Coordinates of all heavy atoms in Angstrom, one line a residue:
G571 N 21.2 -33.2 214.6 CA 20.2 -33.9 215.4 C 18.9 -33.2 215.5 O 17.9 -33.9 215.8
I598 N 8.6 -36.3 212.6 CA 9.5 -37.4 213.1 C 10.0 -37.0 214.5 O 10.0 -37.9 215.4 CB 10.6 -37.6 212.1 CG1 10.0 -38.3 210.9 CG2 11.7 -38.5 212.8 CD1 11.0 -38.6 209.8
R599 N 10.4 -35.8 214.7 CA 10.9 -35.4 216.0 C 9.9 -35.6 217.1 O 10.2 -36.1 218.2 CB 11.3 -33.9 216.0 CG 12.6 -33.5 215.4 CD 13.8 -34.0 216.2 NE 13.9 -33.4 217.5 CZ 14.3 -32.2 217.9 NH1 14.7 -31.4 217.0 NH2 14.4 -31.9 219.2
L603 N 10.7 -39.6 217.7 CA 11.8 -39.3 218.6 C 11.3 -38.7 220.0 O 12.2 -38.4 220.8 CB 12.9 -38.4 218.0 CG 13.5 -39.0 216.6 CD1 14.3 -37.9 216.0 CD2 14.3 -40.2 216.9
H604 N 10.0 -38.6 220.1 CA 9.4 -38.0 221.3 C 10.1 -36.7 221.8 O 10.4 -36.5 223.0 CB 9.5 -39.1 222.5 CG 9.0 -40.4 222.0 ND1 7.6 -40.6 221.7 CD2 9.6 -41.6 221.7 CE1 7.5 -41.9 221.3 NE2 8.7 -42.5 221.3
G605 N 10.4 -35.9 220.8 CA 11.0 -34.6 221.1 C 12.5 -34.6 221.2 O 13.1 -33.5 221.2
E606 N 13.1 -35.8 221.2 CA 14.6 -35.8 221.4 C 15.2 -35.6 220.0 O 14.6 -35.7 219.0 CB 15.0 -37.2 221.8 CG 14.5 -37.6 223.2 CD 15.0 -36.7 224.3 OE1 16.2 -36.4 224.3 OE2 14.2 -36.4 225.2
R607 N 16.5 -35.3 220.0 CA 17.3 -35.1 218.8 C 17.6 -36.5 218.2 O 17.7 -37.5 219.0 CB 18.6 -34.4 219.1 CG 18.4 -33.0 219.5 CD 19.7 -32.3 219.8 NE 19.3 -30.9 220.2 CZ 20.0 -29.9 219.7 NH1 21.1 -30.0 219.0 NH2 19.6 -28.7 220.0
L608 N 17.8 -36.6 216.9 CA 18.3 -37.8 216.3 C 19.8 -38.0 216.7 O 20.6 -37.1 216.6 CB 18.2 -37.7 214.8 CG 18.6 -39.0 214.0 CD1 17.6 -40.1 214.3 CD2 18.6 -38.7 212.5

Side-chain angles (χ1 to χ4, degrees):
I598 289 179
R599 282 288 304 281
L603 302 173
H604 311 292
E606 299 296 320
R607 292 177 178 225
L608 184 66

